[in-house]
């Protein structure tokens, strides 16, 4: 008898449990308004609109009033999980939830809630490039500035070769079980992590770099909201012109 070859599912995991201190606002940056909706609603929409994504795990802070949130009606594809102290803890909680629903070799796309300008074409491209990759990888952007490595006393130690340096963006796409194990191993060793690729590197894997748009900014400071609005309008214009 022929056994059915199962195509690994794609899940999105959105860590949104940060407090965003650098923003200096009355609420975490993912809940601020960006045009007619919140930053988080823009971000969620990108993944909920994608026909290839099986489900979206949204990781929220402990004190967040979920009933007061205007979450989209996602037809049972949106799952809420509580986050942790650091970003990596929030992602681990989300993966723990997914481990009960998905298969170990399913793909997980981890994407910051604070990146509402991810172009849908970049998401498609990332998935297409990595679908058969043995490790997975991440969206990156080139550095347009010359990069200096600091030595001591605010002095340049050397200039980096900018053709080899990339800015790590999200989504970062890895296999559910492999990513979970890598994050657990890094946590057990006390290694601080700011992205998923670092966890994979920690266990000896080499994530693939996939160049994406520099429009995929992370909202961090108040002025970023104005920039994000310009980028979203630009994307809308480009879509309408197609
Ligand atoms: O603080 P930073 O900008 O690096 O956060 C990136 C993303 O990780 C944000 O979407 C934030 O809400 C999320 N995060 C989280 N849990 C934390 C810290 C950050 O889900 N403890």
């Amino acid at each position: 008898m022929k056994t059915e070859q199962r195509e690994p599912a794609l899940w999105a995991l959105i860590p949104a449990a940060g407090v965003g201190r650098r923003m200096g606002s009355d609420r975490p940056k993912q809940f601020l308004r960006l045009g007619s909706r919140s930053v988080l609603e823009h971000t969620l929409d990108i993944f909920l609109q994608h026909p290839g994504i099986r489900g979206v795990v949204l990781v929220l802070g402990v004190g967040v009033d979920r009933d007061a949130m205007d979450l989209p009606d996602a037809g049972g594809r949106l799952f809420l999980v509580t986050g942790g102290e650091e970003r990596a803890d929030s992602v681990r909680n989300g993966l723990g939830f997914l481990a009960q629903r998905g298969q170990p070799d399913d793909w997980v796309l981890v994407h910051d809630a604070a990146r509402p300008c991810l172009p849908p074409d970049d998401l498609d491209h990332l998935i297409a490039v990595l679908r058969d990759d043995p490790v997975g990888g991440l969206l990156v952007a080139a550095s347009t500035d010359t990069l200096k490595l600091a030595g001591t006393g605010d002095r340049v130690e050397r200039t980096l070769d900018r053709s080899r340096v990339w800015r790590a963006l999200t989504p970062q796409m890895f296999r559910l079980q492999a990513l979970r194990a890598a994050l657990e191993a890094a946590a057990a060793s006390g290694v601080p992590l700011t992205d998923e690729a670092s966890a994979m590197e920690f266990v000896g894997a080499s994530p693939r770099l996939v160049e994406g748009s520099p429009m995929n900014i992370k909202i961090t400071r108040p002025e970023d909201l104005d920039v994000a609005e310009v980028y979203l309008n630009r994307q809308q214009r480009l879509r309408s012109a197609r």
Side-chain angles (χ1 to χ4, degrees):
M1 201 167 69
K2 220 174 105 195
T3 47
E4 279 276 310
Q5 198 62 22
R6 179 191 153 273
E7 183 71 10
L10 286 164
W11 301 91
L13 195 167
I14 317 280
V19 289
R21 258 180 218 99
R22 284 170 291 187
M23 202 72 192
S25 54
D26 62 342
R27 68 193 93 164
K29 54 192 178 181
Q30 58 274 22
F31 302 120
L32 294 173
R33 288 220 88 69
L34 174 54
S36 58
R37 298 187 289 172
S38 69
V39 169
L40 178 61
E41 283 172 275
H42 282 283
T43 305
L44 281 176
D45 212 39
I46 303 166
F47 292 91
L48 291 171
Q49 295 290 330
H50 196 289
I53 305 272
R54 173 81 53 92
V56 178
V57 177
L58 173 63
V59 189
L60 293 169
V62 180
V64 173
D65 180 359
R66 298 171 182 196
D67 295 331
M69 285 177 72
D70 203 9
L71 289 171
D73 174 18
R77 284 168 70 227
L78 181 61
F79 307 97
L80 304 188
V81 170
T82 302
E85 190 78 13
E86 303 290 334
R87 183 183 180 285
D89 302 318
S90 297
V91 173
R92 279 167 61 212
N93 289 3
L95 290 174
F97 171 85
L98 270 182
Q100 296 162 359
R101 247 164 214 275
Q103 298 297 319
D105 65 341
D106 281 353
W107 288 108
V108 184
L109 292 137
V110 182
H111 183 69
D112 293 330
R115 292 186 191 270
C117 303
L118 163 68
D121 286 352
D122 280 18
L123 177 57
D124 284 338
H125 181 57
L126 182 76
I127 294 169
V129 171
L130 296 179
R131 194 116 217 189
D132 297 318
D133 194 273
V135 177
L138 64 153
L139 281 181
V140 293
S143 175
T144 50
D145 298 313
T146 299
L147 296 159
K148 305 292 183 189
L149 186 71
T152 48
D154 289 341
R155 298 266 157 200
V156 172
E157 186 177 303
R158 65 191 163 88
T159 299
L160 299 175
D161 175 0
R162 84 177 171 195
S163 68
R164 294 193 58 210
V165 178
W166 295 90
R167 295 188 295 117
L169 312 176
T170 69
Q172 305 205 354
M173 175 171 156
F174 296 103
R175 302 270 183 188
L176 171 50
Q177 183 47 35
L179 179 57
R180 199 167 175 224
L183 283 166
E184 296 301 334
S189 306
V191 183
L193 299 173
T194 50
D195 73 348
E196 290 60 55
S198 308
M200 298 301 291
E201 293 157 43
F202 177 74
V203 295
S206 299
R208 180 151 176 187
L209 303 170
V210 181
E211 187 166 7
S213 164
M215 278 196 287
N216 183 6
I217 58 166
K218 182 167 70 172
I219 309 267
T220 308
R221 299 186 184 83
E223 58 269 32
D224 295 335
L225 280 170
D226 296 335
V227 177
E229 195 155 358
V230 170
Y231 284 161
L232 286 178
N233 287 336
R234 182 166 194 277
Q235 288 179 24
Q236 183 67 49
R237 268 202 320 277
L238 291 174
R239 264 198 300 277
S240 316
R242 273 184 191 169

